[in-house]
Amino acid sequence: HTHTHTLVTHKHRMIVRLLGSRCARSALSSSRMNTVFSLRELSSTRVQHGMLAEARAAVLPYWQLMRLDKPIGTWLLYLPCTWSIVLATPANAAPDWRMLGLFGAGAVLMRGAGCTINDMWDSDFDKKVARTATRPIASGAVSHTQALFFLAGQLTAGLGILVQLNLYSIALGAASLPLVVSYPLMKRFTYWPQAVLGLTFNWGALLGGAAVTGVCDWPVAVPLYLGGVAWTLVYDTIYAHQDRADDTAAGVKSTALLFGQNTKPVLHVATVAMAALWTQAGIAAEASTPYFAGVGIASLYAAFLTQTCDINNPASCLRAFKDHKLVGLAMLAGCLGNTNVFA
């Protein structure tokens, strides 16, 4: 009996050891499999992160070339379009939201195209100015050939938006291209490149209403446009004060250099002209009281920004420049007051 029990016990131990060995091998195999899968997952994650990093590195210079990282310029280009579109809206009707969307997309593309043209023309100058030396073309991140192909893509996309408008508006929009192309050259020849920028950036004040009605209402559009030119002269002169020393060294011109320490009185005169022209546009459009309130608020705030800006402090100039978006938005709010959007 004792011998039998011993044999059973021994067999039992052998079975336990065998099972334990198998379990251990199974556990070891499972552990190895988990390790392999973990390594594969880690490798896959690293590959994905590497691909994303490479894609980001490839896209970023073009993102910067379009100034998508600095949207204030797009706002300043888009807002005059919105005033014109909304003023062309019949009283107590809703604005044309589709048209506002098309012009918004167009503003992004055309501002990007304008910046690309500007940087292609100015790459040698940009290298000499601290604020612009890191721009993609000046820094070598994008070649002139790459920029040219990128410009062609942006203009093609912009054309795709333009052809959705009526024929009158297509012709009127195409008429702005000489200004878009020539503006970057103006700083070489005249102290008034900011005025030429105003003629370019406010073209939407002529085009927006025409896109809605099929024809440009010149008595409304012209003072709206010229008021926008005066507005651009104000904010872009403030902006140009950031680069006075570098511009002088590089041999380029600006209204900041022309006006010098007389900048504030001159810009106050420009603001008065802006207010008068926008008021005349409202009278011609038979706008309601909210429009004129918007003109008043926009003009007072523009004067405030000029008066409080330290033109000898680049940070103060940049802050005042960016705050001019609120001037344009106040004007837009006034235009919307003539519709049923707030009803």
Side-chain angles (χ1 to χ4, degrees):
H1 176 75
T2 303
H3 178 68
T4 303
H5 180 268
T6 301
L7 288 174
V8 171
T9 302
H10 179 69
K11 289 181 179 179
H12 181 265
R13 286 175 180 171
M14 290 291 292
I15 292 171
V16 169
R17 286 175 183 173
L18 181 61
L19 290 174
S21 176
R22 289 178 177 176
C23 287
R25 286 198 298 270
S26 177
L28 180 60
S29 175
S30 177
S31 176
R32 287 174 176 170
M33 290 288 290
N34 289 337
T35 301
V36 169
F37 284 129
S38 295
L39 289 173
R40 287 178 179 173
E41 289 173 2
L42 180 60
S43 176
S44 176
T45 301
R46 286 177 176 173
V47 169
Q48 290 174 1
H49 286 172
M51 292 174 64
L52 288 172
E54 289 178 4
R56 183 179 183 277
V59 169
L60 184 60
Y62 296 96
W63 182 275
Q64 294 171 332
L65 189 58
M66 289 184 71
R67 308 290 197 276
L68 292 176
D69 56 326
K70 299 175 180 177
I72 179 61
T74 302
W75 275 108
L76 296 174
L77 177 62
Y78 177 54
L79 284 166
C81 307
T82 66
W83 309 335
S84 185
I85 291 170
V86 175
L87 275 181
T89 302
N92 298 317
D96 190 330
W97 299 110
R98 175 180 174 274
M99 201 62 67
L100 287 168
L102 284 175
F103 273 76
V108 172
L109 289 167
M110 294 312 296
R111 195 257 179 146
C115 289
T116 303
I117 293 170
N118 182 82
D119 288 7
M120 290 174 70
W121 282 122
D122 285 354
S123 59
D124 290 336
F125 288 112
D126 286 345
K127 294 174 185 177
K128 302 174 184 178
V129 178
R131 186 178 57 81
T132 60
T134 58
R135 286 178 176 173
I137 298 177
S139 67
V142 174
S143 70
H144 277 268
T145 301
Q146 290 171 325
L148 185 62
F149 279 106
F150 186 54
L151 173 63
Q154 292 173 89
L155 292 176
T156 300
L159 179 63
I161 292 175
L162 184 64
V163 297
Q164 296 185 56
L165 308 182
N166 55 66
L167 289 176
Y168 183 97
S169 299
I170 292 173
L172 186 59
S176 69
L177 284 177
L179 286 170
V180 174
V181 173
S182 64
Y183 157 69
L185 296 173
M186 293 298 107
K187 66 185 75 174
R188 294 164 170 78
F189 307 113
T190 176
Y191 280 99
W192 293 90
Q194 281 68 33
V196 180
L197 179 67
L199 294 172
T200 308
F201 251 49
N202 291 278
W203 199 262
L206 302 176
L207 185 58
V212 173
T213 64
V215 65
C216 186
D217 187 353
W218 297 107
V220 175
V222 170
L224 190 68
Y225 174 64
L226 294 178
V229 174
W231 178 45
T232 302
L233 181 65
V234 172
Y235 67 67
D236 206 52
T237 298
I238 291 172
Y239 184 78
H241 268 281
Q242 297 177 93
D243 301 327
R244 284 201 318 260
D246 287 332
D247 284 350
T248 300
V252 298
K253 302 174 175 65
S254 72
T255 49
L257 292 175
L258 178 64
F259 301 156
Q261 296 306 311
N262 295 317
T263 288
K264 289 188 178 184
V266 174
L267 295 190
H268 284 315
V269 171
T271 301
V272 171
M274 174 192 83
L277 287 162
W278 285 348
T279 298
Q280 178 57 40
I283 293 170
E286 299 182 353
S288 57
T289 301
Y291 171 84
F292 297 102
V295 171
I297 293 170
S299 302
L300 288 172
Y301 190 57
F304 170 79
L305 290 174
T306 296
Q307 192 61 35
T308 57
C309 176
D310 180 357
I311 61 173
N312 298 308
N313 182 335
S316 178
C317 292
L318 182 59
R319 185 166 54 251
F321 167 74
K322 289 181 176 180
D323 283 349
H324 267 273
K325 179 178 75 172
L326 298 176
V327 174
L329 289 172
M331 181 69 175
L332 175 58
C335 294
L336 288 170
N338 200 48
T339 71
N340 71 353
V341 71
F342 295 128

